[in-house]
């Protein structure tokens, strides 16, 4: 009996630990009074924060992007023209605003496409996330 309880506790702990990092770093955008969903994303070596952005469909989005490192170049890409989201922006210390209106629900990958020589791409290093468009 005690053994079963211990097993159940262990299973619970494992299932909590097994949640992917991207799911834990979720940001659900609120709609501001002017009808715009505003999200700030920071890119660094080698991550985006938040890495999981949830926005509502057919509501304009203002994505403010910055970089928190000096040397390594990074960019942010989402190429989902079928959902009204299609951009590639070079990240800098100065905030830049990307505007789009998502037109289709779904999960769209967001990533840095930089790669230096024979090293793994930044995306492979973990510099990726997802924009999730919901009803
Ligand atoms: Cu990068």
């Amino acid at each position: 009996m005690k053994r079963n309880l211990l097993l159940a506790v262990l299973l619970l702990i494992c299932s909590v630990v097994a949640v992917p990092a991207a799911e834990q770093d979720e940001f659900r955008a609120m709609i501001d009074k002017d009808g715009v969903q505003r999200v700030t994303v920071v890119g660094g070596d080698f991550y985006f924060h938040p890495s999981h952005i949830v926005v509502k469909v057919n509501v304009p989005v203002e994505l403010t992007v910055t970089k928190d490192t000096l040397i390594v170049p990074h960019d942010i890409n989402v190429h989902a023209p079928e959902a009204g989201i299609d951009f590639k922006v070079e990240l800098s210390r100065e905030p830049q605003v990307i505007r789009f209106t998502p037109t289709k629900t779904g999960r769209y990958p967001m990533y840095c496409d930089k790669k230096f020589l024979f090293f793994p791409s930044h995306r492979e290093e973990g510099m990726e996330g997802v924009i999730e468009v919901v009803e």
Side-chain angles (χ1 to χ4, degrees):
M1 202 59 179
K2 264 195 178 154
R3 205 190 154 96
N4 281 348
L5 186 67
L6 187 70
L7 203 66
V9 169
L10 276 176
L11 275 174
L12 189 71
I13 292 169
C14 289
S15 63
V16 168
V17 172
V19 173
E23 300 296 325
Q24 289 172 6
D25 190 23
E26 179 186 299
F27 179 82
R28 227 163 244 274
M30 302 292 285
I31 303 172
D32 288 346
K33 280 191 184 124
D34 61 354
V36 177
Q37 316 180 75
R38 290 186 173 82
V39 183
T40 299
V41 182
V42 178
D45 315 336
F46 294 91
Y47 66 89
F48 286 113
H49 174 69
S51 58
H52 181 188
I53 297 161
V54 183
V55 293
K56 285 214 182 309
V57 70
N58 296 322
V59 178
V61 176
E62 267 186 29
L63 205 63
T64 301
V65 296
T66 55
K67 190 174 83 151
D68 82 340
T69 47
L70 286 171
I71 300 162
V72 183
H74 293 298
D75 64 10
I76 184 167
N77 290 263
V78 177
H79 297 297
E82 73 278 14
I85 315 169
D86 193 13
F87 59 80
K88 173 187 173 78
V89 172
E90 203 68 29
L91 296 182
S92 75
R93 306 280 292 182
E94 286 299 307
Q96 297 173 85
V97 179
I98 302 165
R99 291 184 177 84
F100 60 88
T101 300
T103 54
K104 192 169 167 236
T105 58
R107 292 169 68 95
Y108 306 103
M110 162 178 95
Y111 56 92
C112 173
D113 71 0
K114 301 284 181 190
K115 182 170 170 26
F116 182 64
L117 301 176
F118 49 82
F119 291 101
S121 70
H122 291 191
R123 189 176 188 179
E124 286 169 309
E125 295 272 25
M127 205 167 174
E128 66 176 343
V130 64
I131 292 184
E132 184 178 358
V133 181
V134 298
E135 279 295 335

